[in-house]
Each structure stands twice: as structure tokens, then as C-alpha cells.
Amino acid sequence: MKKLLLAVALLFFSPVAASAQGVVSSADPRASAAGQEILRKGGSAADAAMAMMLALTVVEPQSSGIGGGGLFVYNDGKTGMVSTVDGRETAPMAATPQRFVGPDGKALPFIKAFPGGKSVGVPGNIRLMAMAHARWGKLPWKDLFAPAIRLAEEGFVVNDRLNGSIAMVSPLWKDFPAAAALYLPGGKPLPVGTTFKNPELAALLKKLADQGPEAFYSGANAQAIVDAATGSSVAPSDMTLADLAAYRAKERPPVCGTYRTYKICGMGPPSSGATTVLGILGMLERFDMKKLGKDSPVAWHLIGEAMELAYADREKYLGDGDFIDVPVAGLIDRAYLKSRSKLISPTRTLAKYEAGTPPGAPQRTAAVQNEVPGTTHFVAIDSDGNIVSMTSTVEGPFGSQLLANGFVLNNELTDFTLAPERDGKPVANRVEPGKRPLSSMSPTIVYDAKSGKPVFVVGAAGGKTIIMQVTKAIIARLDWGMEPRDALGLGLIYFNQDGLILEQGTELEKFKAPLEKLGAKVTIAKLGLKANAAAWENGKWVGAADPRSPGVALEQ
């Protein structure tokens, strides 16, 4: 399967010309400035992306960082080849499928499962960084740390996002003294506008800069991670030093498919991003979305129908491909998606949304997986045409609520399906030792089919809404011709067990009544969203950040 997907990817892409300039985009201005600084020093897109990942560890600790993991999609500007690196966290080797099952034999409520040590997966971002730097870096390893060290050592100004995240989760911190000591001085969240320093994290970053990735996965830092996870007063972990020492990032074959005159490439399992994005788009392809336009309720109805069908497939078939057979090729098979599309009517809503049977699909038990809004995305493009689209995460706000050496430890293991069985049968995304939990992270690169050149780079944060944010942005850009920032800022349609959700405070609110006339149950609600992108326009790359976030795009 991997050889087949790689061969398909090779057929899709041809060498591309260098861009006139580099560009970066992230969810925080300080991180974007870090990426810009690295590009201006002669760094590659991979160098800039890693500098942003490190900077976000400091300035956006609630969302991502070296205590979590990430997924990395890379376009080689000379060859047009696409590569992807999986830096997703892993379960400790002592983990069992019963990890999040209570004494009553039932899955724990999420609110009880995520805080504390048991939710912490072995972090992957530093190993991902090492692989990316070895393959595609230009500057010395040490140089990539300079902006983050400066931010941690000299301090940065606390913004509304950080203050609000602290206020939201700090009621938990009576059991998490390290987080309270750092982010809750005097018992109150860090005030907006104050300068915050993290000297413990600065010291660790200096050590990693000098000694390399092994200083993270062995020695004093590894011991600090294990001590924090196993010594937690809440749900102590069974993680060991051997778990950290054994962690490896993995290069995976990209998952690529077509939409109209475009080729779209993203991450394969353990990400559900590419298969689900391509599934939605494949079902929509027979409809004239351009003619319908963004102001048509029918257009949003069609998107909603395709969304629910594709997510049904996601919940049944996706998981870590090292542990289960994931029918990747079947899920994006054009004939299969055409058959799924036939279920969609422009004039009525389906009564129920069930998974299909894609080619090569194994017998599988469908089960809904937990995922909460969080995470961050960033884009880097250098003047040689190399492109990085990377999503990085610690899962929910402040992850497990545990800290080690000043950085937040993730709660990614609650991205596993908490109940290991359904109807007496094991589910695909259950906890297993060394396994990587299913993810919605969807770092994506879009190519023009005729020229083979990349034309749109996009990704998002926000749990399981990530897939829809990316899909919506692609439709807005490719079908509706929207400018990249407007495509990101366009309202989102999503769903829950009760029906469709239209994003509150956006133009989508006006579609509530028309969608209800088509048979849908519709609510209007806030959605925690943020996305970043870049688009090829008039011979140059134009970066964009979601207007919902404080993020910015900067040119080299």
C-alpha cells in the first residue's frame, strides 16, 4: 500500500519554479517573526517551521509545543516531491486498552480522563524536528532555537488568548502546582499586557540547542517528563525512560487525491485529515459549487451532507496504520466516492449517516473518538519553493495540565477512543502499547494539475473541526475564488449528534431556516477555530492568518 501511494504521488507532481520570496504564517505574531527571522538568515522552509514550533512552545503554551507532537507535510521546490513526517505521540509500552475505563467497566467521562499523567503520550515534536532538519535544513541546528530562547528568557507580552486559556482551565490547577506557580501568580491568571518570562524553559531550550535531540529524550529532561507524569497526584502515568528513549518520528507516504483540476496532498494515518478532506471533496465534485456560490443555502446543505457521510467513514475505519488495516486507497477511491455522492440530494437531508464499504475495507466496529478544540498550525515557504505545512498540538488547552522544565505535557492519549470495545468488539482507535492516537490534524498542500505547481497551503486548529476548516477553505479558494484570508475567515458548518451547527457571529447564521426547510436540525453556536494558509497569486506567495486569531503572515 505504501509503495502504491508513493508511486501515485510521484505521478502527480513535477518540479516547480522557485517563488519570488519566502513567507510564513502562524497563529501568533511572535512565532511568525521567528520564522521570518530564520528565512532572512538564509534558512529553509523546514528551518523556519521548526523555529516557529519552538517559539509557539513559549508564546502559545496552551495549544502546542515540545511537550506534544505534530504532523509535517513538505514540498521539495526542486523536485516537486511531497514528503510527510509523523511526529504523533505514542502510548507508553505499559498502556492497555482499559486505560480510560473506570471501576464500573465504563469509559471515563472526558473531564476525568484528560487531566493528569495517564493522558500524557510520549512527545514527538523534537524527534520530528530532528528528522526535518536532517533532511531539509540549511542553518545549524542551534540557530533554530535562538528566537524561542529569546522569548522565554527576555519575556513576551501576554495576550487575550493566553489569559483566557489560563482563566478557563485554572480551576483544575489546585491539583497541578507547577502550572499554577508559572501561569497563576498570586492565584490570578497572567494579566493581559504584562511581560511573562519562562527561565526554566529558556534553560532547557539552550541545552537542546547545544546538545541536540538526545538531550530531550534521555538524561535529566527525560527524567523530568517521567517524574511529572508518574508523580502526578491525578491519574499517575506508567511512562518510563525507556518509552522516551525508544520514540521515533516516522516518514509516511503522503495521501494524495484530486478535486476538479487540482491535486491535494496531506497526511495519512494516524491522521484522518487527508482521507476525510478528500472524501468530502470527492462527494461534492459532481455538484457545480462555483455556480451555487457561497451565498447559496444549497451549497452549504451539500457540504453538510458530504461532511456527515465522510465523518461516518472516519469513525469506522481510521486509526494508527501500524496497528490496524486502514483502507486508505478505498476511502479516496473515485468510484467509491461517486457511489457515496449518490446518497446526497440537493433538495432533502438524509435521515441518517452511516459508514460505507470502501474497496479493501476490513470488518470494523464504528466508534466515536474524543477530540477537543486546541492545537496550532503554521506555514513556511522559502525562496527556493520549498513548502512546509505543519500542525502541532498538546491536545486540549494546557494539555494534561502537567509541566516539565517549563513546558506543557500533552493529553494526546485521550484522542484514543476511551471505550476499547463496542458491542463486544474491539474498536480501531483503542489504546494499545506504543500506538499513536487518531488525529484530525490536516496539514495540506494543493497543486494545480496542469502545471504541477503548488497553489494553496492550508491547515487549522480546533479538534475534529480541523478537517472541516481545511475543506471549507479549499472550497472557498478553489470554487469561489476567495482571497486566502477571506477563505479562512468564512463561517464554518459543522455537526454534532443532534444535527448541523452553524458558526455563531458569521454569515452562515442566515442559512438556519433554509437548511431546516431541507430537513436538517440546525443550531447556531460558537466554534473554537483558527487556521493559517498561503496562496500563489500573481507570481508570488501571499500568506494569510485566520481573522479569528491574533496570527499574522509575514514575508521574508
Side-chain angles (χ1 to χ4, degrees):
M1 177 61 69
K2 290 182 179 180
K3 290 182 179 179
L4 173 63
L5 290 171
L6 184 58
V8 171
L10 281 166
L11 288 173
F12 278 172
F13 303 109
S14 60
V16 297
S19 62
Q21 90 301 328
V23 67
V24 295
S25 176
S26 83
D28 189 284
R30 285 73 61 101
S32 296
Q36 181 189 53
E37 177 181 327
I38 294 300
L39 288 181
R40 288 180 171 177
K41 288 183 69 173
S44 66
D47 289 334
M50 293 305 100
M52 287 193 285
M53 183 275 289
L54 294 170
L56 287 161
T57 303
V58 183
V59 300
E60 203 185 38
Q62 71 272 24
S63 296
S64 70
I66 61 175
L71 300 177
F72 174 103
V73 178
Y74 180 84
N75 171 83
D76 188 296
K78 291 182 179 179
T79 66
M81 274 291 296
V82 180
S83 303
T84 73
V85 179
D86 169 9
R88 188 75 165 141
E89 302 86 341
T90 57
M93 292 308 292
T96 73
Q98 305 300 313
R99 192 173 192 82
F100 299 111
V101 176
D104 59 358
K106 297 179 180 179
L108 294 172
F110 182 79
I111 189 65
K112 292 187 177 180
F114 85 85
K118 282 190 177 180
S119 69
V120 180
V122 179
N125 266 339
I126 290 294
R127 285 286 188 212
L128 184 160
M129 177 178 175
M131 180 178 283
H133 182 257
R135 287 281 305 275
W136 304 294
K138 289 174 65 178
L139 294 181
W141 168 267
K142 187 173 183 177
D143 289 6
L144 311 187
F145 287 80
I149 291 170
R150 193 165 60 244
L151 287 163
E153 196 166 49
E154 300 176 8
F156 64 92
V157 176
V158 175
N159 62 15
D160 291 335
R161 282 291 180 108
L162 179 54
N163 170 270
S165 294
I166 296 170
M168 179 172 61
V169 299
S170 58
L172 298 171
W173 287 356
K174 59 182 175 56
D175 296 318
F176 298 96
L182 190 59
Y183 293 109
L184 209 63
K188 295 182 179 180
L190 292 169
V192 174
T194 58
T195 298
F196 170 69
K197 300 177 182 180
N198 192 336
E200 191 175 16
L201 178 55
L204 175 66
L205 292 172
K206 288 179 179 179
K207 184 176 181 179
L208 297 179
D210 290 334
Q211 300 181 18
E214 294 306 321
F216 186 91
Y217 290 95
S218 63
N221 185 66
Q223 189 66 60
I225 293 172
V226 169
D227 289 347
T230 61
S232 173
S233 64
V234 178
S237 177
D238 44 17
M239 186 182 293
T240 67
L241 292 173
D243 291 319
L244 284 152
Y247 184 87
R248 295 292 183 271
K250 295 187 177 184
E251 187 169 357
R252 306 279 192 186
V255 174
C256 306
T258 61
Y259 179 62
R260 308 197 191 283
T261 61
Y262 300 91
K263 317 294 186 196
I264 297 172
C265 196
M267 288 294 311
S271 172
S272 61
T275 56
T276 312
V277 169
L278 288 167
I280 298 167
L281 294 174
M283 286 184 243
L284 291 174
E285 194 161 14
R286 72 182 176 95
F287 299 102
D288 191 342
M289 299 299 290
K290 181 178 181 178
K291 183 177 180 180
L292 287 168
K294 68 180 180 63
D295 295 315
S296 164
V298 174
W300 292 99
H301 161 73
L302 296 173
I303 293 171
E305 295 289 277
M307 167 184 70
E308 298 218 50
L309 289 169
Y311 271 79
D313 280 351
R314 174 195 185 278
E315 303 294 356
K316 186 168 185 176
Y317 295 112
L318 269 295
D320 185 344
D322 291 341
F323 284 75
I324 62 165
D325 182 13
V326 181
V328 172
L331 286 165
I332 62 173
D333 179 79
R334 293 182 67 82
Y336 172 67
L337 294 177
K338 284 181 181 179
S339 71
R340 294 286 276 166
S341 181
K342 289 179 181 178
L343 299 172
I344 301 173
S345 166
T347 59
R348 58 177 172 79
T349 298
L350 280 167
K352 57 182 178 179
Y353 304 90
E354 296 179 332
T357 307
Q363 291 290 324
R364 190 60 52 77
T365 303
V368 176
Q369 159 251 18
N370 290 286
E371 213 171 325
V372 298
T375 311
T376 201
H377 186 81
F378 39 98
V379 169
I381 303 171
D382 63 32
S383 58
D384 292 324
N386 302 307
I387 299 170
V388 172
S389 183
M390 181 173 170
T391 313
S392 175
T393 186
V394 292
E395 228 297 53
F398 288 96
S400 64
Q401 315 305 304
L402 294 169
L403 271 63
N405 282 330
F407 64 88
V408 172
L409 293 177
N410 68 84
N411 68 297
E412 292 298 343
L413 299 191
T414 50
D415 270 359
F416 285 113
T417 306
L418 302 185
E421 296 182 350
R422 184 174 181 181
D423 300 328
K425 298 177 182 178
V427 301
N429 189 42
R430 67 188 180 278
V431 180
E432 294 181 77
K435 191 175 184 180
R436 302 175 189 224
L438 181 62
S439 173
S440 293
M441 292 188 287
S442 307
T444 302
I445 302 177
V446 179
Y447 297 78
D448 178 78
K450 293 181 180 178
S451 67
K453 294 181 179 180
V455 294
F456 192 48
V457 186
V458 65
K464 290 166 79 170
T465 70
I466 289 172
I467 293 164
M468 280 310 299
Q469 291 182 70
V470 169
T471 304
K472 177 263 298 180
I474 290 172
I475 294 168
R477 178 65 182 167
L478 304 187
D479 287 321
W480 299 334
M482 297 180 70
E483 292 299 307
R485 188 172 189 271
D486 294 335
L488 299 182
L490 186 64
L492 190 73
I493 188 169
Y494 192 56
F495 71 106
N496 59 19
Q497 61 185 8
D498 297 321
L500 295 176
I501 302 172
L502 301 177
E503 185 184 357
Q504 184 176 326
T506 71
E507 62 274 52
L508 265 65
E509 287 190 5
K510 66 185 179 184
F511 298 127
K512 184 176 188 296
L515 290 172
E516 287 174 336
K517 287 182 180 179
L518 293 171
K521 294 181 179 179
V522 183
T523 57
I524 293 172
K526 291 184 178 180
L527 298 169
L529 312 176
K530 60 181 181 182
N532 294 82
W536 182 257
E537 286 190 341
N538 301 318
K540 64 179 289 188
W541 284 101
V542 176
D546 197 317
R548 301 173 186 82
S549 81
V552 298
L554 299 173
E555 292 189 359
Q556 185 174 346

